[in-house]
Amino acid sequence: MAVADLTRAGAPAEPGRDGALLAVSDLRVSFQTPHGVVDAVRGVSFAIGRGETVGILGESGSGKSVSVGAVMGLLDSPPARIGGAIRYGGVDLLKAPVRETRRIHGDRVAMINQDAVTALNPGLTVGYQIAEMFRVHRPGTSRADARRRAAELMDRVKIPSARQRVQSYPHEFSGGMSQRVMIAMAIALEPDILIADEPTTALDVTVQAQIMQLLAELREQTGMALILITHDLGVVAESVARVLVMYAGRIVERGPTEEVIARPAHPYTAGLMSSVPRAEHKDRKLATIEGAPPVLTAIPPGCAFHPRCGRSRPVCSGDRPELEPVTSARDSACHFAAQVFDG
């Protein structure tokens, strides 16, 4: 299955709709710091169904990783203050007992961390770290069986000489191979949902393509849903059926990937698309989004993007737009989004 084929995955499932494996509703995450309250995530809602592929796109600091960190229970509270609801299979992961959430995290909902090299324990063999998934989540699994299954997983993610390398340490692997080890750990228990947080960071273009192809093949084989966190528009275009665009802790646009890329409804999304280098525009100056993302302790009133927006009008600085439908498949948080589709 080609990576691009993922864009033909099933119809979107939004919070509250039947068929959603995971439904995040009005997620809010803030941190108390010496410089004030950081509002990292401000009312994010999304859902994903079985076998679906969803991308979360945005600049650094937009709230992507914090959102999935809350989903995975990785945020210590305090300092994090988390509100809203995160439901998996009828269980609200923000309210359920720790014993229940531990059964789900890492088992039914798994995650590939952003930096595989630092995520792996340098003092333990990679085989031991993969096998630990079975020892922790599948009580009664023998050490020998866990190690055998670790070698099988390494082979499945195409690590050469897997049965020999199961005894290797993380420093003996390249960045791309370390990422494959992380993928092996994430899929060990055949999760329903795999969250990949910047899985191609610091990898060269060829290795990036290999990793994304591997994720596509695994999703096809297992039927798991995939949530891809990235700031790479190229990865989004080739890898997911539906995209959520985040800015200053909020979703500002969502819809089918091909449609959002071809005709963005929010000016921030349009700015991201126009800043991508194109071969046919090699003689033109590369477009940029003026200014910088807001400081999260002092988010501007109204639309957080208005200080950087070429379409800004007086209403934008005083009235915060909500995420609302602009077509049957598209939502945008812009007062003037509908004008994009007029005519």
Side-chain angles (χ1 to χ4, degrees):
M1 177 181 181
V3 176
D5 289 346
L6 287 174
T7 58
R8 294 194 288 273
E14 296 303 337
R17 288 180 56 178
D18 293 340
L21 277 175
L22 178 74
V24 177
S25 302
D26 193 29
L27 178 63
R28 290 163 276 111
V29 182
S30 61
F31 299 90
Q32 183 67 53
T33 75
H35 305 288
V37 176
V38 173
D39 291 316
V41 178
R42 305 183 297 141
V44 164
S45 298
F46 67 91
I48 186 167
R50 188 172 300 278
E52 193 184 5
T53 56
V54 174
I56 304 181
L57 175 69
E59 294 172 287
S60 296
S62 61
K64 309 183 302 296
S65 293
V66 174
S67 296
V68 297
V71 170
M72 290 300 298
L74 299 177
L75 306 180
D76 290 333
S77 180
R81 297 176 62 184
I82 307 173
I86 301 172
R87 293 184 175 87
Y88 170 83
V91 177
D92 187 341
L93 300 179
L94 295 182
K95 297 178 180 178
V98 172
R99 183 177 181 180
E100 180 74 1
T101 59
R102 283 180 176 172
R103 182 186 65 80
I104 295 171
H105 291 138
D107 188 330
R108 298 299 82 217
V109 184
M111 184 172 178
I112 303 170
N113 290 309
Q114 188 170 133
D115 187 347
V117 174
T118 58
L120 293 169
N121 188 325
L124 300 173
T125 66
V126 296
Y128 181 93
Q129 294 180 65
I130 298 171
E132 189 174 24
M133 298 296 296
F134 299 103
R135 293 194 299 270
V136 171
H137 290 278
R138 299 291 185 269
T141 303
S142 68
R143 286 182 175 272
D145 192 36
R147 179 178 171 180
R148 176 185 60 79
R149 296 174 76 174
E152 291 173 352
L153 284 161
M154 290 176 66
D155 184 63
R156 187 175 185 182
V157 298
K158 302 178 182 179
I159 295 176
S161 305
R163 295 191 182 279
Q164 289 73 43
R165 302 208 70 184
V166 75
Q167 289 286 63
S168 299
Y169 288 85
H171 72 270
E172 299 178 82
F173 288 78
S174 66
M177 287 298 159
S178 295
Q179 194 63 282
R180 290 173 188 267
V181 172
M182 291 298 300
I183 294 171
M185 293 175 65
I187 67 168
L189 305 176
E190 299 184 354
D192 295 323
I193 302 169
L194 178 63
I195 300 172
D197 188 2
E198 302 278 8
T200 58
T201 295
L203 302 179
D204 64 49
V205 175
T206 301
V207 178
Q208 285 183 18
Q210 293 172 354
I211 293 298
M212 294 312 302
Q213 179 66 38
L214 174 61
L215 290 175
E217 292 172 356
L218 292 171
R219 192 195 69 82
E220 173 71 7
Q221 293 165 8
T222 65
M224 66 183 178
L226 175 66
I227 300 176
L228 176 65
I229 314 300
T230 186
H231 60 267
D232 189 323
L233 289 168
V235 170
V236 165
E238 294 183 349
S239 305
V240 299
R242 187 163 54 97
V243 64
L244 316 175
V245 182
M246 290 191 67
Y247 185 80
R250 299 184 69 218
I251 295 174
V252 296
E253 182 161 5
R254 67 184 175 198
T257 302
E258 291 181 356
E259 293 184 25
V260 171
I261 290 175
R263 201 174 188 184
H266 194 282
Y268 174 63
T269 311
L272 291 177
M273 302 307 164
S274 64
S275 65
V276 177
R278 303 177 188 276
E280 64 270 25
H281 297 160
K282 62 182 180 179
D283 296 328
R284 301 182 189 177
K285 185 177 179 180
L286 187 65
T288 61
I289 300 175
E290 298 295 330
V295 176
L296 295 181
T297 54
I299 297 173
C303 174
F305 187 63
H306 85 263
R308 308 173 69 189
C309 180
R311 302 183 203 167
S312 180
R313 301 292 184 270
V315 66
C316 301
S317 61
D319 184 7
R320 189 181 80 171
E322 298 300 325
L323 188 65
E324 296 179 340
V326 289
T327 73
S328 60
R330 301 278 298 281
D331 299 324
S332 178
C334 175
H335 292 299
F336 305 103
Q339 296 179 5
V340 174
F341 300 93
D342 287 348

